[in-house]
Amino acid sequence: MLLLFFGILGMGLSTELQVLRADQRIDSLAQLVREQDAADAELRRLRLAIGDATRAVERGEAVDPERLQALRDDAGRFASGDALSAVAAMPESPAAVRDGIARTRAGARAFGMQATALLDAAERDGASVKAGMPAFLDALKTLESSRTATRQSLVEALQQATAQSLWLGRRGVISTAFAALVALLFTIGLAVWLRRRVMVPIVHFAGSLRRLSAGQQIDQVAGVDRQDELGMLARGLVTMGRAMEERRRVEAQVEFLAHHDPLTGLANRLLFEERLARTLAGGAPCALLAIDLDGFKGVNDTLGHAAGDAVLRRMAAVLIAASSSADTVARMGGDEFAIIHPLPGGAIDAAALVDRIFALAAGETAEPSARFSIGVALAPLHATQGDELYSCADIALYRAKADGRNRARLYDGGMDEERRQRRWMAHELRDALNRGQMHVVFQPIANCATGAIVGYEALARWTHPALGAVSPAVFVPVAEENGLMGEIGDWILEEALAVASGWPATQGIAVNLSPEQLRDPALAARLLGLARAYRIAAHRIEVEVTEGVVIDEREVVVANLRALQSAGVGVVMDDFGTGCSSLSSLQQFGFNKIKIDRSFVANMRDDRASRSIVRATIGLGRSLDMLVVAEGVETEEQMRMLRAEGCAQVQGYLVGAPAKLTGAVAVTAAG
């Protein structure tokens, strides 16, 4: 038994010695690989640096001699430093490795000599560079070829050494297990040791490899802290797993970015179109919602693109919250969104989705605020093809915007014709000024108590050769939608001041300013310049704005209005009481005058609520030291009620209808 023990011991020692030598061979080869990697990196750097310098010389550019000398020194060091290492010279190193490194060393010397010669030629003149370049490139090619061959030899030798190490380990296990059959106690102890130190890690490695092959992630590999070959394998598995996980992460990110909007994370147009086509091909009913943000351009123009991006992200969150997991929510570009919504319950499901969107958007309190206009089209009712369905939804969206925004409209066939008519009207409106079709009329504003005319409001009128007189309620929204109100508003402003220049100094002139004008930073300077040109005192001019403009376009608008007020121009809040934030606007911006909307004046006699609103508005204006003007006064009874409430000024057909004025103006009014 003692002899068996010593025999087993000797066999084990022999096996361990062989494994140790195999490990040393693996370490030696790994050291050679690292040396080769470092030399390759130095060769790439030197090659690029020499290429940059010689190209500069060929272009006739001056190259610092010190730079050329430094490159020569680097080439010399590279040629002398790429020698056969002590590890490679060992007898047990594979002959192919030793030969490959010897060839690499010779190639490095030749490359160093050619590089030095090329740099010498570059220092002499540019023409010599071209003559010396082929030899340099041949030396470089030879060196790179020898390095490639050497690397292949190293890899093969490393694979063979690793395979030999594993084979030796397995042979040792088998031999020891066989011997342990004879000595039971020794075998049991040795088996336990082998299981814990060798077999368990190998089984774990095999399982990890299977998971990696299946594309699964490996969370932990046993034995990474070991300093033997199994530790090396464990660390190799960890490195491989991390590399594969990073690759999967990058691939997933690329896939996501190819089909999603990077700002909001929503589906992009490509993914939207794919899902829409798939949904329609399946034949199931669905709704397509085309969605635009109202007032988004103003946010970008006044607060910058960072604020606009924040609004887009908030509104995208609203759409996601309102939708279900079966819906596809996409950003089509800019402030345009779209939703594909399956309709298992019919069109009522689409209406419920729209209601949820508006409810969540209304609950948004963050500034700047934004609201939605929505167009809805249904498949297969309105269309069965993706392009046609989206076009129907877009037409419905256009109707929603035309009807006042912040609302939804369901597509119907009549919208196509209406849209064509509005486009035609926009086309005609663009040339209306040049053709002399537009003119300005003036509606008087009177002192409520005395009836004396205190000023006039300038209003635009359009007379089309085919349509006749076109109502402002028709052409103003068309002008706003097509960006024409800036030009029309500036024309009205100059026409009004030109006419008012002939009026008595007691008569004022009121002009409406559009949002497009107010967003122009040069508006205040332009208006005051016209006042000086027509010799009209600034205090005779009033500008009327709606509260929504001040709320949504705050920065530039407020700057313009402050500048006008500082010069003496009066600022009037038009249509007071019809918005949602009138009191807040009055508190934050000091208006000079408030105009009560005509809808409240018209219902004063029969509607107690309207009468209370008029009374409260007049009292509010008095407490804030603001004049109050009542619009739409058409009857003597309305005039008497307004006088009884203490209204300062009135405007309407009872006082006078809008008319052209060219000379002297009246000073009294009816009533």
Side-chain angles (χ1 to χ4, degrees), residues 190-205:
L190 186 59
V192 170
W193 183 86
L194 288 174
R195 174 177 174 78
R196 183 173 61 87
R197 295 291 295 170
V198 179
M199 297 305 298
V200 170
I202 288 178
V203 171
H204 186 82
F205 296 161

Side-chain angles (χ1 to χ4, degrees), residues 483-549:
L484 303 175
M485 276 310 299
E487 180 183 0
I488 294 174
D490 289 345
W491 174 81
I492 294 171
L493 180 61
E494 184 164 4
E495 287 288 312
L497 293 182
V499 174
S501 64
W503 297 351
T506 57
Q507 300 295 309
I509 178 68
V511 182
N512 291 278
L513 294 181
S514 68
E516 189 173 346
Q517 289 174 282
L518 287 164
R519 286 195 295 266
D520 182 0
L523 170 70
R526 185 164 63 251
L527 189 152
L528 295 174
L530 288 173
R532 288 191 296 271
Y534 288 108
R535 301 188 180 188
I536 299 177
H539 70 269
R540 294 177 56 197
I541 303 173
E542 290 180 346
V543 293
E544 299 186 5
V545 299
T546 59
E547 59 178 300
V549 173

Side-chain angles (χ1 to χ4, degrees), residues 468-479:
V470 182
S471 169
V474 174
F475 74 77
V476 168
V478 174

Side-chain angles (χ1 to χ4, degrees), residues 51 106 131 210 266 275 300 308 331 431 445 563 617:
R210 283 194 298 271
L266 299 179
R275 291 188 177 176
N300 270 345
R331 182 185 176 203
D431 294 327
I445 304 170
T617 303

Side-chain angles (χ1 to χ4, degrees), residues 652-664:
Y653 279 87
L654 182 65
V655 178
K660 290 185 178 181
L661 294 177
T662 55

